Amino acid sequence: MKSIRSRKIAALALAAATLLAGCGNDPPAEDTIATVGTAVQTQPSSSAATSSARTTAVSTATAASTTETAATSEENEPVLTNAPAEGNEPYNPGIENPPSGGGYTPRPSGGQTYTPPTTAATTTKRTSAATTTTTKAPVTPSRPTSADELLSDMTLHEKVCQMFMAAPETLTGYGSFNYADQHTYDCYDRYPIGGYIFFANNIVTSDQTRNMLSDLQSHARSKGAGVFLATDEEGGYITRVSYKLGTTAVYNMSYYGELNDYDTSFGVGSTIGTYLADYGFNLDFAPVADVNINPYNELGSRIFSSDPNVVADMSAAVVDGLQSAGVCSTLKHFPGLGAGGGNTHNGTVIIDRSYEQLRESEFTAFKGGIDAGCEFVMVGHQVVTGAGDDLPADLSKVVVTDWLKGDLGFEGIIITDAQAMGAISGVYGSSEAAVKSVEAGIDIILMPADLAAAVNGVEQAVSSGRISEKRIDESVLKILRQKEKLGLLG
């Protein structure tokens, strides 16, 4: 059996050879986030991103030609405008691409399909037992890092804002956001959030996407710390970038779970990571590390397998591939949605799993990607009976601190699933949900239904003594150190 290191080297070589062969919401009130008013700009931002040209693997020369034609046509689309929310139906990000032509097909119009190499399947196991607890000695820097120094200069408001990620529409009040303008920068200066998440409606052309992300990043960095620029790019029918821009498409993860081949899944991760990095994204909310236990779960073919060891191995390979391209990976949706029978987008989902069952199955699956060095883990909204507290997982200290940090030894950034989803927004106010998340051990709250209320709630919890500022500093330092690794400070 090859070592993990030698397998990574072999996979990198394979990916390189493949590349060479291919050649190629309603607006908030004025006192919350932003006042839309007349702040609608009708011309795109003038600054352009400068990024190195990258290529992605293609299956055939015909597919490459098809993509080139599609890309040329894409760039000839009309000039973009940020649409005000008034008079327009707010964008409602769902888990799938828009129904008008966005459903997954193995070869979507304008794109190519990633063709797995015809090699014998290899199954490098990355976990021996889920019961193993990882303990690492704390590392104390010999002198303050840039992250430490920046943290010491930040106000409480700035620190708390770092613990939130939102869609650009939430920050600006626009109905649909396609480029940064002065209104965008003013809104960010009031609420300097830690990052943005982008959906298909934000992506129109290649140049527009690069410019939009570059401008948002440049403004944030000019204020001291850059931002995480994230999207859901799992492959299969959950894509934003490939769906809109015709980049190399990959199959749903169940396909790769059946292959159970490290090199192939590494190629999936590196392919996605390469084109995301080319546009300016630095964080992908992938791969899915749930186990397919209940056939009626909300994820279906997004899951690799019903075998937790296969999930562990294949999600680890995708983690390796994404991060080899400089894009942070995110295991989701801890502690697992695969045994559920409902949809947390709509309301409460209760998963009847004991702690022992979770350790045997779901924990094993997530341990693979954690051992591979994934930099984020997303915690879902499911209520798991084994936790014994009747709380959504991302509001549960048992799930976040005792299980994810304690049992699985995860030391990276822990982010919630989108808290605008019904399982949270239909039960909790944005303020209380955010406070409970921080108390549970969460580092970043994703897409609260009301950003201003959520930020204010955490600040008030610190002022009242419910949450210590030391607890805020713990998460923010983790966030800033990751940004320092990505070259986003200063």
Side-chain angles (χ1 to χ4, degrees), residues 33 164-166 170-171 191 193 430 445 448-456:
I33 307 300
F164 288 87
M165 289 185 67
T170 300
L171 195 71
Y191 285 84
I193 56 176
S430 297
I445 294 134
D450 186 331
L451 176 60
V455 170
N456 184 64

Side-chain angles (χ1 to χ4, degrees), residues 152-422:
S152 67
D153 290 336
M154 295 172 74
T155 65
L156 176 63
H157 179 69
E158 289 170 334
K159 289 189 286 190
V160 171
C161 284
Q162 280 292 309
M163 297 178 69
F164 288 87
M165 289 185 67
E169 290 84 353
T170 300
L171 195 71
T172 62
Y174 289 133
S176 186
F177 183 94
N178 296 119
Y179 64 91
D181 56 12
Q182 189 57 49
H183 175 65
T184 305
Y185 302 144
D186 293 342
C187 293
Y188 175 83
D189 292 348
R190 292 178 63 189
Y191 285 84
I193 56 176
Y196 296 91
I197 179 172
F198 300 89
F199 292 89
N201 73 306
N202 303 122
I203 299 166
V204 182
T205 69
S206 295
D207 285 347
Q208 167 267 331
T209 302
R210 288 190 183 94
N211 292 343
M212 174 181 68
L213 299 183
S214 176
D215 291 347
L216 290 171
Q217 190 67 270
S218 295
H219 182 76
R221 288 191 63 180
S222 73
K223 302 298 178 178
V227 283
F228 294 123
L229 299 171
T231 192
D232 292 287
E233 197 78 5
E234 299 174 12
Y237 64 87
I238 303 297
T239 62
R240 317 302 183 199
V241 179
S242 178
Y243 160 64
K244 292 300 291 286
L245 301 182
T247 59
T248 304
V250 302
Y251 294 101
N252 289 305
M253 294 304 103
S254 59
Y255 175 83
Y256 302 103
E258 290 180 8
L259 292 180
N260 195 19
D261 178 70
Y262 174 89
D263 293 342
T264 302
S265 291
F266 178 94
V268 167
S270 63
T271 295
I272 293 173
T274 296
Y275 70 69
L276 287 182
D278 176 46
Y279 289 114
F281 294 97
N282 52 33
L283 172 59
D284 188 11
F285 291 138
V288 169
D290 305 274
V291 183
N292 200 356
I293 298 169
N294 183 343
Y296 302 105
N297 68 64
E298 64 183 272
L299 302 173
S301 57
R302 295 166 63 188
I303 301 177
F304 285 104
S305 177
S306 59
D307 183 337
N309 291 300
V310 172
V311 176
D313 295 339
M314 297 304 99
S315 58
V318 173
V319 164
D320 287 341
L322 282 168
Q323 295 183 178
S324 73
V327 173
C328 300
S329 64
T330 309
L331 296 178
K332 61 184 186 184
H333 311 77
F334 189 82
L337 284 170
N343 191 319
T344 53
H345 287 79
N346 304 327
T348 299
V349 173
I350 298 176
I351 296 181
D352 189 10
R353 297 282 283 173
S354 70
Y355 175 64
E356 290 71 24
Q357 288 174 312
L358 291 163
R359 284 174 67 86
E360 182 179 337
S361 182
E362 287 92 331
F363 286 15
T364 295
F366 277 88
K367 194 71 162 63
I370 290 171
D371 286 349
C374 74
E375 290 164 327
F376 285 71
V377 169
M378 178 181 287
V379 180
H381 306 318
Q382 63 273 36
V383 177
V384 183
T385 57
D389 54 15
D390 296 324
L391 290 170
D394 52 333
L395 276 56
S396 169
K397 189 171 184 179
V398 173
V399 173
V400 177
T401 297
D402 297 348
W403 294 354
L404 183 53
K405 293 183 181 181
D407 289 355
L408 296 182
F410 182 63
E411 297 179 345
I413 295 173
I414 305 175
I415 186 169
T416 71
D417 205 343
Q419 292 203 339
M421 289 161 58

Side-chain angles (χ1 to χ4, degrees), residues 106-143:
R107 190 184 296 277
S109 176
Q112 314 103 273
T113 300
Y114 174 77
T115 303
T118 54
T119 56
T122 55
T123 56
T124 303
K125 300 300 179 190
R126 295 175 173 268
T127 57
S128 53
T131 54
T132 303
T133 300
T134 305
T135 5
K136 297 182 181 178
V139 177
T140 305
S142 56
R143 61 177 180 271

Side-chain angles (χ1 to χ4, degrees), residues 454-477:
V455 170
N456 184 64
V458 175
E459 290 176 354
Q460 290 299 317
V462 174
S463 298
S464 69
R466 179 175 173 180
I467 295 175
S468 70
E469 191 162 356
K470 181 180 179 181
R471 166 69 191 89
I472 301 298
D473 290 350
E474 173 189 313
S475 286
V476 177
L477 184 58

